Each structure stands twice: as C-alpha cells, then as structure tokens.
C-alpha cells in the first residue's frame, strides 16, 4: 500500500513567491517517486497556486475549515469554498488549534460538515504529557469518541487518524517519540475504533504519525506500521523534505 505523506506547511512560507517555489520543487520531486501519496496543506492564501501550477501528483489539503457552509462568520472559510479550489482533505483537531481554544465538540462539528461535503478529515489526537499509569490512553480515547461522534460506519473509512503527541510536535517539541510509543498508541486506537464501529473499520482505518518527523526517523515510523506521516517543519524546507522523501522511497 502507498505511504501517505502529509505536508503541513502551517503558517509558512512567508510569501507567495516562496510558496510557489516550494510547490514547484516538491511537485517535480514527487513525480519521480512511486508508492507515496502526497497531500500538501498550505495556508489558505496559497491554495490557488496549486490550481495555477496544475500539480497533478499532489493532493490538496487545508489546515482548517468552519462548521457552517456560509454566512456571517468573519475570518472563516467554508468547506464548499475549499472544495471549489480542489481541496480533498482537511486537518482537524490539530494540537496547535486546540491550544487556541477549539474543543472536542467544536472539532466534531467540523468533522461532520467536512465528511458530509466530501472533504476528508485528517483527524489529529495527542496527549500533552505521558504518565506511567497510562491515563493518557483514556484521554486519547475521549478525544476519539468526542471528535468522531456521529460519524457513521460507512463514513469512518474516509477519516485518517493522526497521532501527534503534543510533546513531540512543533518548534517547542521536548523530544521525539519512539517507534514503540507509536505502536502502543496505534494498537490502542484500533481497539477504540473496533469498539466504536467494528473490526473491519479498525482494520481499514489509516493511522499516521506526526511530530518532529525528519529524514532520520521517517522510515522507522513507517517500518513500525504507520500508514503515513504528518510532517511540519521539514516539509517547508525543500532540501529537508527531499531528503525525507528519499529516505522512505
Ligand atoms: P513538526 O509538526 O513536524 O514540525 O513537529 C508536525 C505537526 O504539528 O503537524
């Protein structure tokens, strides 16, 4: 099965010119690689660049969406707008948005709207710290149950779950996760999905890993059973992203 690589550009790069350069370089690179499905999630102002440059081998994703389809919501973007620009996936529940105050219930509404309108969620979960007694697992279970509330058995196959421990993501990451830590959580997520839906759904759902992924550790998470990777910092520096893609091809 192809590995799913999701580039989360976050609030980068600084200008349209740089974004277009990064897109063109990445697009050329991905054309040379097999067995990798690449989704790029740029900031909203750069979405149009993907249409302009006809990036056939790259799937377009977004970093957020609003729960309503239209109306008086200053500063928000609807799923229909995203669809009209060719967006197929959207990151929801990311730790950096939860930190801004997004609750499980709020994220759940976005998940439901997105699925209904055929933009598939990349649903992120992750604990802020670990404890020896494994209480963080109940925390993750709670995030899954609340975030996917109302998602039906026929819809769940369209959701990708990204495990992103908050202590391992972004500039302030304390350390990298180990592959054993990922495997433990992956098994746990499968169990929760199996209990919520059935074993077929648990078997079919894609579980990816994100948090300080780079060219040195990418392959080991895939070898450990991650269906893909969510890459932040190392997706916005082309040389680093190229090295990462080469390391897993
Ligand atoms: P990072 O970000 O690769 O920079 O740690 C990953 C993410 O937050 O999605």
């Amino acid at each position: 099965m192809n590995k799913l690589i999701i580039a989360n550009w976050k609030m980068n790069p600084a200008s349209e010119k740089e974004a277009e350069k990064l897109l063109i370089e990445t697009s050329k690179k991905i054309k040379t690689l097999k067995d990798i499905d690449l989704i790029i999630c740029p900031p909203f102002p750069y979405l149009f660049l993907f249409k302009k440059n006809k990036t056939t081998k790259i799937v377009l994703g977004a970093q957020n969406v609003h729960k309503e389809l239209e109306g008086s919501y200053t500063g928000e973007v609807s799923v229909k707008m995203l669809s009209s620009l060719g967006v197929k996936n959207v990151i929801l529940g990311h730790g950096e948005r939860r930190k801004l105050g997004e609750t499980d219930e709020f994220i759940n509404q976005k998940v439901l709207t997105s699925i209904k309108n055929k933009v598939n969620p990349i649903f992120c979960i992750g604990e802020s710290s670990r404890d020896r007694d494994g209480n963080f697992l109940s925390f993750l279970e709670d995030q899954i149950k609340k975030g996917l509330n109302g998602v039906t058995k026929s819809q769940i196959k369209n959701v990708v779950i990204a495990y992103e421990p908050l202590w391992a993501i972004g500039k302030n990451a304390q350390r990298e996760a180990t592959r054993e830590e990922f495997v433990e959580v992956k098994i746990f997520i499968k169990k929760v999905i199996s209990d919520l839906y059935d074993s077929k759904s648990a078997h079919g759902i894609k579980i990816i890993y994100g948090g300080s992924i780079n060219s040195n550790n990418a392959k080991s998470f895939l070898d450990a059973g991650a269906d893909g990777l969510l890459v932040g910092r190392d997706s916005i520096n082309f040389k680093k992203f190229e090295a990462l893609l080469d390391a897993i091809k």
Side-chain angles (χ1 to χ4, degrees):
M1 218 205 299
N2 280 8
K3 299 293 182 195
L4 179 62
I5 303 299
I6 302 175
N8 177 9
W9 284 5
K10 305 193 180 182
M11 203 167 73
N12 305 288
S15 69
E16 176 194 338
K17 214 170 147 193
E18 288 164 87
E20 190 160 30
K21 183 166 176 279
L22 178 61
L23 169 62
I24 291 169
E25 287 172 329
T26 307
S27 171
K28 273 191 194 146
K29 179 68 190 175
I30 200 70
K31 279 190 193 138
T32 68
L33 301 174
K34 279 185 260 155
D35 310 329
I36 295 176
D37 293 331
L38 177 64
I39 301 177
I40 298 184
C41 305
F44 292 137
Y46 302 149
L47 286 172
F48 79 98
L49 287 172
F50 289 69
K51 217 174 195 175
K52 185 180 157 204
N53 287 283
K54 297 200 180 59
T55 51
T56 46
K57 275 212 74 178
I58 296 173
V59 174
L60 189 52
Q63 296 176 23
N64 191 20
V65 73
H66 194 257
K67 69 182 174 71
E68 300 296 338
L69 296 181
E70 58 182 22
S72 308
Y73 302 100
T74 303
E76 294 291 339
V77 168
S78 82
V79 67
K80 293 219 156 142
M81 294 172 190
L82 295 179
S83 274
S84 74
L85 285 166
V87 169
K88 304 283 185 229
N89 297 83
V90 61
I91 298 174
L92 295 173
H94 193 282
E96 288 160 4
R97 295 218 53 94
R98 290 182 190 263
K99 221 192 260 169
L100 292 175
E102 290 197 7
T103 61
D104 290 310
E105 290 70 24
F106 189 62
I107 293 159
N108 175 242
Q109 290 173 327
K110 298 176 187 222
V111 167
L112 295 176
T113 303
S114 301
I115 296 180
K116 208 166 154 205
N117 290 280
K118 303 201 163 36
V119 171
N120 295 331
I122 297 154
F123 173 57
C124 304
I125 57 165
E127 76 284 1
S128 54
S129 63
R130 287 207 166 201
D131 57 296
R132 282 205 197 143
D133 301 332
N135 289 324
F136 71 96
L137 292 172
S138 337
F139 177 81
L140 294 176
E141 179 172 4
D142 201 51
Q143 281 190 330
I144 297 171
K145 286 188 172 159
K146 288 182 174 155
L148 299 181
N149 186 23
V151 175
T152 66
K153 205 193 277 187
S154 67
Q155 292 172 330
I156 190 66
K157 60 177 177 301
N158 298 321
V159 177
V160 170
I161 297 186
Y163 173 53
E164 292 213 313
L166 303 191
W167 43 267
I169 66 168
K171 270 194 185 137
N172 299 323
Q174 294 159 19
R175 64 172 176 91
E176 291 179 11
T178 64
R179 46 188 276 164
E180 290 74 22
E181 285 169 326
F182 167 73
V183 171
E184 179 190 20
V185 172
K186 179 185 161 167
I187 293 168
F188 182 74
I189 295 172
K190 293 250 180 201
K191 175 164 182 334
V192 174
I193 295 297
S194 179
D195 292 347
L196 283 176
Y197 299 93
D198 57 14
S199 56
K200 195 169 160 227
S201 306
H203 182 73
I205 198 159
K206 282 199 164 117
I207 300 173
I208 67 171
Y209 175 75
S212 300
I213 287 293
N214 55 53
S215 59
N216 293 323
N217 62 16
K219 191 167 181 307
S220 78
F221 283 101
L222 294 174
D223 289 347
D227 297 307
L229 303 167
L230 182 46
V231 189
R233 280 159 293 162
D234 279 20
S235 70
I236 52 163
N237 174 316
F238 177 67
K239 284 282 158 243
K240 288 187 178 172
F241 198 49
E242 181 175 45
L244 190 158
L245 293 171
D246 283 335
I248 60 170
K249 73 182 176 198

